Amino acid sequence: MSAAHPFTPIQPARLDFAPDGTPRSTDYGDVYHTAAGGLEQARQVFMAGCGLPERWQGRERFTILETGFGLGLNFLATWAAWRADLARSRELHFVSTEKHPFSAADLAVLHRAWPELEPLADELRRAWPDLLPGTHRLHLGSGADGDRVTLTLLFGDALATLPQLQARVDAIYLDGFSPAKNPELWSPQVFYPLARLAAPGARIATWSVAGAVREGLARAGFCVDKVPGFGTKRERLVGERTARDNDPAPAETSGAGPDDRRALVIGAGFAGTSVAERLAARGWQVEVIDAVGPGAGASGNRIGVLRPLPAVDDNRLARLTRAAFLYTRHHLQALSAQGLPVQWGASGVLHLGRDPVHEATQRKVVELHQPPADYLRYVGQDEAAAIAGWPTAAGGWFFPGGGWGVPPSLCRANLARFPERIRTRFGQAVASIAHRDGEWEAHAEDGTLLGRAPHLVLANAAAAKALYPAPWLPLRPARGQTTVIPAAALPAPKVVVCRLGYVTPVVDGYRVCGASFIAGDTDPALRPAEHRENLQKLDFILPGLTAQAEPPLDPDTLEGRVGFRPVSPDRLPMVGALPAAEAAPGQSLAAIPRLPGLWLLNGFGARGLVWSAHAGELLASRMAGDPLPLEADLADALDPARFLLPGRRWRNERDQGGE
């Protein structure tokens, strides 16, 4: 698992048209679809070529993989046909690669050619992600289709993204620019990953019948045939993935069967409520058990901070926080759109340089990565002061889409989103768990059975160690004390500001600053000394601010909160299936046997708001057997069994200034 990853900025596609009005690529000198009609090409070449809609009928889930998202026309046509089919699968997963995605504004221009698709196209554009490399997961559909259509976009070169995809796919749309114009997309470096991802019997379809394409697909494991073509093409290609004795183990299991879609979740904080909501979105029945209630433990701070942590080398932490930040922000928007009681605000986050060297590094990150300005930009000292509403000692990063959230409100909103599928049992402490007759049981101290299901998720922070006492699992609590300041006491800031600490804008009549971080300290009492340290951090962030407080801030009388964050040695979450507690080290993650149906979602540390929704989606995807919303190397970096790999020396990655 490499810590660093070459960062290649996304170069958007440029809007251009051939003389007949067909959209074309100036980069590849080719059109995006035949002049005979893009929508009919999608239906006849790709959908019909893969046996759709018949093959998804009666299925719980159907997964399609496409090479080359382009205008999104194949996706929109497929989504429209799926919606119109009363016998459709319960869920539709569509995974697509794209090296040069269009902006949402350009897609709006392109989509005008198909007004019959406009309601779906409009929803796609409203959910369209920032043009940043990596895996982007979008949940689409409204009303009865809500969260039943999942679009996973792999932004970047397909030769790099496809080997990092973990999925089992039922159909493949092989749709790139012509082999003569874009030979890499029609090479063994693409065909073999496609064969690895394809379930036996999966269909593949393409408009190209080039000999090299037929031969390459056959060598990779597809049985292909030429059939009558579409438009000016006399022939097109269809094929099927054949089962072979030497097939590698599937990238993902087929997922839980209908009778197995029940889960117990222990813990009602960020982790527990996030995975409960994500499982319920998939139709699972979930019971959440907590000794107190939602957001009462480590997730009970008054305000949390939402922002990523870039790095020059785009290291593991940078890639993970980028994916998590983007997904969690979309999740908060979705909860708000449904009128659920989640409190959050995209105020923006200003991350100031610690010193001149660090500030120069921040500037370099922006220069090298060329991120969209509405995601990240570098601001000088004067602009930083204007954004903060107070003089600053340095410039730094500004995340316009970053912000703050009230953690308990997010926990409550998660539980309220699917009330018919999520049951809660609060005021009940789980003292032990046991696996009997294929199901997991949770028991109280007196032996009372609190719940029973085929799957059990330990999402109860550091207390998980008492239920899963594996000596190799390095999960421990870290004390964190925040300081609460009345709104009237200080004149600034207007946004969240970070600099070896953080301070929030006014929320519900107060600001929060902090926070201390003391591993292994379990004392719950507020300490004036830690309030004093938090105020010192505040003065480092915005020099001279505390001197303006009226009345003066007294560490002996200030309000605050002490929480105990679950942390791991590498400061990354733990998301995945648990090995037997006495498991021996393995040479690879795949070689380490796992306990059936026992899962861990934990170790969020000081970044609970950032990790929450994305980690819940990752674990729910694993449990259900869905395509993963994260590159394979990043998913492996979060696997709890990583601590069983021999010779592993875990260390905190330098994140170029992450508080």
Side-chain angles (χ1 to χ4, degrees):
M1 291 183 291
S2 173
H5 186 267
F7 188 98
T8 303
I10 295 296
Q11 299 299 325
R14 289 173 285 179
L15 190 62
D16 191 35
F17 297 91
D20 63 359
T22 303
R24 68 185 296 273
S25 168
T26 55
D27 294 305
Y28 293 94
D30 199 2
V31 293
Y32 279 94
H33 60 74
T34 175
L39 187 53
E40 280 306 305
Q41 176 179 288
R43 291 168 175 162
Q44 296 189 33
V45 174
F46 297 105
M47 290 185 59
C50 287
L52 301 176
E54 293 80 10
R55 289 186 61 240
W56 64 41
Q57 293 175 351
R59 298 276 296 270
E60 177 66 21
R61 173 185 60 234
F62 195 85
T63 303
I64 299 169
L65 173 60
E66 175 190 48
T67 57
F69 190 77
L71 319 181
L73 194 52
N74 289 340
F75 168 67
L76 292 171
T78 302
W79 184 8
W82 178 87
R83 282 184 56 130
D85 185 1
L86 296 180
R88 62 184 178 265
S89 57
R90 185 190 178 278
E91 297 176 8
L92 175 66
H93 281 265
F94 197 102
V95 183
S96 187
T97 69
E98 184 53 65
K99 186 175 183 179
H100 299 294
F102 281 102
S103 68
D106 284 348
L107 286 176
V109 174
L110 294 161
H111 290 163
R112 291 173 189 162
W114 302 282
E116 63 269 45
L117 297 176
E118 180 52 27
L120 302 185
D122 178 65
E123 185 172 348
L124 170 64
R125 295 192 302 270
R126 284 187 281 111
W128 194 243
D130 291 322
L131 302 189
L132 291 159
T135 303
H136 301 265
R137 172 148 293 180
L138 310 179
H139 302 291
L140 301 168
S142 56
D145 297 342
D147 267 22
R148 292 174 57 191
V149 177
T150 301
L151 173 62
T152 304
L153 294 167
L154 313 179
F155 283 173
D157 193 323
L159 272 64
T161 60
L162 285 175
Q164 288 287 334
L165 176 62
Q166 292 191 24
R168 294 292 305 278
V169 305
D170 305 296
I172 298 171
Y173 297 170
L174 187 55
D175 187 21
F177 296 117
S178 73
K181 304 286 187 178
N182 188 19
E184 288 186 340
L185 203 58
W186 304 85
S187 68
Q189 288 75 23
V190 169
F191 297 156
Y192 279 94
L194 294 180
R196 172 185 66 85
L197 295 162
R203 302 279 184 88
I204 189 168
T206 183
W207 50 267
S208 175
V209 292
V213 173
R214 300 197 313 273
E215 294 167 8
L217 288 172
R219 283 194 297 269
F222 293 95
C223 179
V224 296
D225 290 299
K226 291 190 285 187
V227 297
F230 166 73
T232 59
K233 294 279 293 183
R234 287 193 310 161
E235 295 175 311
R236 57 189 169 89
L237 206 63
V238 298
E240 182 173 317
R241 173 69 162 91
T242 57
R244 298 181 299 188
D245 292 339
N246 62 345
D247 273 344
E252 282 293 304
T253 64
S254 59
D259 296 333
D260 297 329
R261 295 188 184 95
R262 295 179 290 116
L264 293 178
V265 176
I266 302 177
F270 277 142
T273 64
S274 292
V275 72
E277 187 272 338
R278 288 290 80 215
L279 288 172
R282 290 165 164 81
W284 287 47
Q285 295 295 321
V286 185
E287 186 166 8
V288 179
I289 306 173
D290 193 277
V292 184
S299 304
N301 283 345
R302 295 199 183 188
I303 307 176
V305 177
L306 179 66
R307 57 84 193 265
L309 287 164
V312 170
D313 62 354
D314 204 33
N315 61 31
R316 185 186 295 121
L317 182 62
R319 294 166 62 204
L320 281 165
T321 56
R322 179 169 67 243
F325 165 76
L326 294 171
Y327 184 88
T328 297
R329 190 178 64 182
H330 281 296
H331 180 63
L332 291 166
Q333 291 168 340
L335 293 176
S336 294
Q338 288 188 238
L340 292 166
V342 59
Q343 288 180 270
W344 73 287
S347 63
V349 175
L350 181 63
H351 185 159
L352 300 169
R354 295 187 299 263
D355 51 46
V357 173
H358 180 224
E359 187 180 349
T361 300
Q362 291 178 305
R363 186 186 297 108
K364 182 178 180 181
V365 165
V366 175
E367 291 172 351
L368 290 176
H369 294 191
Q370 304 171 37
D374 57 355
Y375 170 76
L376 167 63
R377 59 190 178 91
Y378 172 80
V379 296
Q381 184 176 351
D382 290 344
E383 187 177 0
I387 291 170
W390 190 261
T392 64
W397 287 324
F398 182 55
F399 302 95
W404 55 268
V406 177
S409 79
L410 174 55
C411 297
R412 291 190 294 268
N414 281 335
L415 296 177
R417 193 173 193 190
F418 299 102
E420 72 282 7
R421 298 181 204 140
I422 300 177
R423 295 176 52 206
T424 58
R425 178 174 286 198
F426 298 145
Q428 301 280 351
V430 177
S432 63
I433 60 174
H435 193 243
R436 295 189 180 93
D437 301 324
E439 294 195 333
W440 286 94
E441 297 178 349
H443 295 270
E445 186 68 39
D446 62 2
T448 300
L449 180 65
L450 299 177
R452 178 181 172 90
H455 297 267
L456 187 148
V457 180
L458 296 177
N460 53 334
K465 285 281 286 182
L467 302 178
Y468 180 81
W472 54 265
L473 187 67
L475 180 66
R476 59 176 179 164
R479 172 188 163 95
Q481 180 174 313
T482 56
T483 299
V484 175
I485 302 172
L490 294 175
K494 302 174 183 177
V495 300
V496 177
V497 188
C498 306
R499 193 187 186 211
L500 290 179
Y502 68 90
V503 59
T504 72
V506 173
V507 179
D508 290 340
Y510 53 78
R511 304 181 190 277
V512 173
C513 69
S516 60
F517 192 95
I518 309 172
D521 189 332
T522 58
D523 178 11
L526 282 172
R527 296 172 182 166
E530 287 177 50
H531 279 324
R532 191 171 292 108
E533 292 171 6
N534 287 341
L535 294 178
Q536 290 170 352
K537 291 178 182 177
L538 178 52
D539 269 330
F540 182 69
I541 298 168
L542 298 174
L545 182 62
T546 61
Q548 300 300 311
E550 185 59 43
L553 302 176
D554 183 356
D556 292 321
T557 60
L558 283 171
E559 292 185 40
R561 187 180 187 276
V562 174
F564 299 96
R565 306 143 169 174
V567 296
S568 63
D570 55 10
R571 301 290 178 90
L572 296 181
M574 303 178 187
V575 186
L578 279 166
E582 66 280 4
Q587 295 300 314
S588 69
L589 291 172
I592 298 173
R594 311 301 174 106
L595 289 168
L598 185 62
W599 309 87
L600 185 66
L601 185 60
N602 221 309
F604 286 8
R607 300 187 178 103
L609 181 60
V610 178
W611 297 130
S612 58
H614 192 255
E617 172 66 11
L618 174 59
L619 184 59
S621 298
R622 283 202 180 279
M623 294 172 69
D626 293 340
L628 295 192
L630 200 60
E631 297 92 308
D633 64 326
L634 295 182
D636 287 350
L638 303 184
D639 192 321
R642 67 189 186 265
F643 300 107
L644 278 171
L645 296 178
R648 183 67 61 189
R649 293 182 60 191
W650 292 97
R651 60 182 177 80
N652 298 339
E653 290 194 30
R654 181 157 187 160
D655 59 29
Q656 306 296 346
E659 276 72 51

